[in-house]
């Protein structure tokens, strides 16, 4: 009689071995997310950057109020026939921007601003798909750790929120204001919220992607390095705040009130700096104060970046980190030049769009530097 395979060879034995292997595997720390996840997040941050730049151009060409309704799927199909275009134009004619600002606009001119806004909205849909579809794929493949799953869910949620916030912003420019004779425009508060959430989405995606792809430097935790890391964090926050203040400049057309530099007109501090009451209202609704604040924040940012660069020279840093610090200073100098030129030339669209893009480039390099200086986990 042949001897049986024994307990370990039986089905129960195979099940027990499988359970032991599973427990052993769970005891081992999970491997880092595959590089594909990091590359995906960098691509996503690139799509958000494109949306920010395109949104800035849409604002500069005064195209943002040309589409007066919003449909997630139906809005993807543009007018094709002459009759459809005329119907779309007639809808636009019912709103304040046409009545006050563009009452003599032709259908051909309307098509230009409509396609600008349409491009921005369609690109927003591309951004949403770029986040959601790969996220589902990576989730099903098991490539996301538990913390990464939370991060991805937050990013996808922020994308959806960003779309809703964009329409909420546009609605503010479509409302009738019987007591106002000002040029119809979106609320600068909602514009700042829309830009701010886009910057948060961009920063979080870029930071996470860089953290997954760039190997960490094993830098000695000296007191000077700790101070440099804190300095870099503070400088990045200042750059973010300066970029956000640009939304108030754009929303109030504050770039057109004092087109001189370094003085504002004939004075360092203009007479109408605090013309509104209460005083706090000036910082968000007075174009003079908003431009003044943007100048101060820009000056503070480039000063902080210069000081950061000089301080970093005293510390031995890896080549890649040194390159990030130098790049930050170089981009800051270019951005200052773009800002001053935009102001002196009365905000020409190509130059203003480049300046807005420059703020995103500056924030990107600052995040890169923060990633280079991050602490190695023990």
């Amino acid at each position: 009689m042949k001897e049986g395979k024994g307990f370990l060879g039986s089905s129960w034995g195979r099940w027990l071995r499988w359970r032991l292997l599973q427990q052993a595997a769970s005891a081992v720390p999970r491997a880092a997310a595959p590089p594909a996840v990091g590359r995906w997040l960098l691509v996503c941050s690139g799509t958000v950057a494109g949306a920010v730049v395109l949104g800035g151009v849409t604002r500069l060409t005064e195209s943002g109020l040309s589409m007066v309704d919003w449909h997630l799927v139906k809005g993807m199909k543009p007018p094709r026939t002459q009759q459809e275009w005329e119907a779309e134009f007639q809808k636009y004619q019912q709103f304040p921007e046409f009545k006050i600002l563009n009452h003599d606009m032709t259908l051909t001119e309307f098509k230009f601003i409509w396609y600008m806004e349409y491009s921005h909205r369609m690109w927003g849909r591309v951004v949403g798909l770029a986040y959601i579809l790969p996220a589902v794929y990576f989730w099903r493949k098991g490539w996301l750790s538990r913390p990464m799953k939370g991060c991805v869910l937050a990013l996808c949620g922020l994308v959806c929120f960003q779309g809703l916030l964009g329409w909420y912003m546009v609605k503010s420019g479509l409302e009738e204001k019987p007591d106002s004779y000002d040029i119809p425009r979106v609320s600068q508060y909602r514009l700042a919220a829309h830009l701010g959430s886009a910057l948060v989405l961009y920063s979080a995606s870029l930071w996470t992607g860089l953290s997954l792809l760039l190997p960490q430097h094993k830098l000695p935790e000296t007191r000077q390095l700790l101070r440099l890391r804190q300095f870099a964090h503070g400088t990045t926050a200042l750059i973010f705040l300066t970029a956000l203040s640009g939304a108030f400049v754009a929303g109030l057309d504050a770039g057109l009130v004092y087109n001189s530099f370094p003085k504002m007109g004939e004075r360092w501090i203009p007479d109408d700096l605090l013309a509104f009451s209460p005083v706090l209202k000036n910082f968000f609704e007075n174009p003079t104060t908003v431009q003044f604040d943007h100048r101060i924040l820009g000056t503070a940012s480039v000063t902080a970046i210069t000081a950061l660069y000089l301080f970093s020279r005293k510390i031995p840093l890896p080549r890649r980190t040194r390159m990030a610090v130098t790049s930050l200073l170089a981009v800051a100098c270019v951005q200052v030049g773009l800002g001053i030129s935009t102001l002196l030339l009365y905000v020409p669209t190509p130059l203003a769009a480049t300046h807005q893009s420059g703020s995103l480039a500056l924030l990107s390099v600052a995040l890169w530097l923060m990633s280079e200086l991050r602490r190695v986990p023990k």
Side-chain angles (χ1 to χ4, degrees), residues 210-223:
L210 290 175
S211 300
L212 291 174
L213 291 176
L214 292 182
Q216 290 179 276
H217 300 294
K218 294 183 178 179
L219 301 171
E221 288 295 325
T222 62
R223 190 171 183 179

Side-chain angles (χ1 to χ4, degrees), residues 81-350:
T81 66
Q82 182 71 13
Q83 187 178 2
E84 288 177 344
W85 272 113
E86 288 176 355
E88 191 72 25
F89 193 25
Q90 285 174 4
K91 285 195 293 184
Y92 174 68
Q93 291 171 358
Q94 306 305 311
F95 289 88
E97 186 175 72
F98 177 82
K99 295 176 182 178
I100 298 174
L101 184 64
N102 293 332
H103 51 83
D104 58 347
M105 175 176 278
T106 65
L107 180 59
T108 302
E109 292 170 332
F110 170 71
K111 286 182 179 181
F112 171 77
I113 64 171
W114 192 92
Y115 270 121
M116 286 297 303
E117 174 63 9
Y118 175 76
S119 300
H120 183 52
R121 293 192 185 190
M122 289 303 295
W123 189 256
R125 289 171 169 83
V126 171
V127 173
L129 293 175
Y131 275 92
I132 294 171
L133 294 183
V136 172
Y137 173 78
F138 291 137
W139 195 298
R140 290 178 64 87
K141 292 284 285 185
W143 290 358
L144 304 177
S145 63
R146 181 174 293 181
M148 185 59 65
K149 285 180 179 178
C151 177
V152 167
L153 283 176
L155 291 174
C156 292
L158 189 54
V159 168
C160 298
F161 173 73
Q162 176 71 359
L164 296 174
L165 190 57
W167 173 239
Y168 179 64
M169 176 193 71
V170 169
K171 281 184 67 177
S172 67
L174 299 174
E175 297 167 355
E176 295 277 359
K177 300 181 178 70
D179 300 330
S180 175
Y181 296 96
D182 198 6
I183 295 173
R185 55 166 64 97
V186 300
S187 163
Q188 69 272 25
Y189 296 103
R190 298 186 192 184
L191 177 60
H194 188 46
L195 175 63
S197 63
L199 292 177
V200 169
L201 178 63
Y202 174 77
S203 300
S205 303
L206 181 62
W207 168 264
T208 308
L210 290 175
S211 300
L212 291 174
L213 291 176
L214 292 182
Q216 290 179 276
H217 300 294
K218 294 183 178 179
L219 301 171
E221 288 295 325
T222 62
R223 190 171 183 179
Q224 280 188 316
L225 181 64
L226 178 61
R227 288 177 61 190
L228 180 65
R229 186 181 292 130
Q230 292 171 341
F231 201 171
H233 289 186
T235 301
T236 303
L238 185 57
I239 292 169
F240 185 95
L241 184 61
T242 305
L244 189 61
S245 75
F248 287 93
V249 175
L252 293 169
D253 288 329
L256 298 172
V257 291
Y258 283 98
N259 297 94
S260 57
F261 191 86
K263 293 184 178 181
M264 298 181 72
E266 299 297 324
R267 304 174 66 90
W268 289 101
I269 300 177
D271 294 330
D272 56 341
L273 185 66
L274 300 175
F276 293 6
S277 182
V279 173
L280 186 62
K281 191 177 181 181
N282 289 278
F283 294 94
F284 306 103
E285 299 184 18
N286 184 344
T288 299
T289 313
V290 167
Q291 188 193 118
F292 181 81
D293 291 345
H294 193 59
R295 290 181 184 221
I296 295 299
L297 287 169
T299 303
S301 294
V302 74
T303 302
I305 290 168
T306 304
L308 176 68
Y309 173 79
L310 294 175
F311 181 68
S312 72
R313 303 297 295 176
K314 303 176 182 179
I315 306 172
L317 295 172
R319 183 174 178 273
R320 202 175 65 206
T321 309
R322 179 74 61 201
M323 188 183 303
V325 178
T326 306
S327 300
L328 185 63
L329 181 61
V331 175
C333 292
V334 172
Q335 178 67 351
V336 169
L338 287 170
I340 295 172
S341 301
T342 301
L343 184 69
L344 296 179
L345 296 174
Y346 292 85
V347 197
T349 298

Side-chain angles (χ1 to χ4, degrees), residues 67 69-80 114 118 121-122 124-125 129 164:
M67 295 180 71
D69 48 22
W70 188 85
H71 302 282
L72 182 60
V73 178
K74 185 181 174 183
M76 295 174 66
K77 180 184 176 183
R80 294 182 180 178
W114 192 92
Y118 175 76
R121 293 192 185 190
M122 289 303 295
R125 289 171 169 83
L129 293 175
L164 296 174

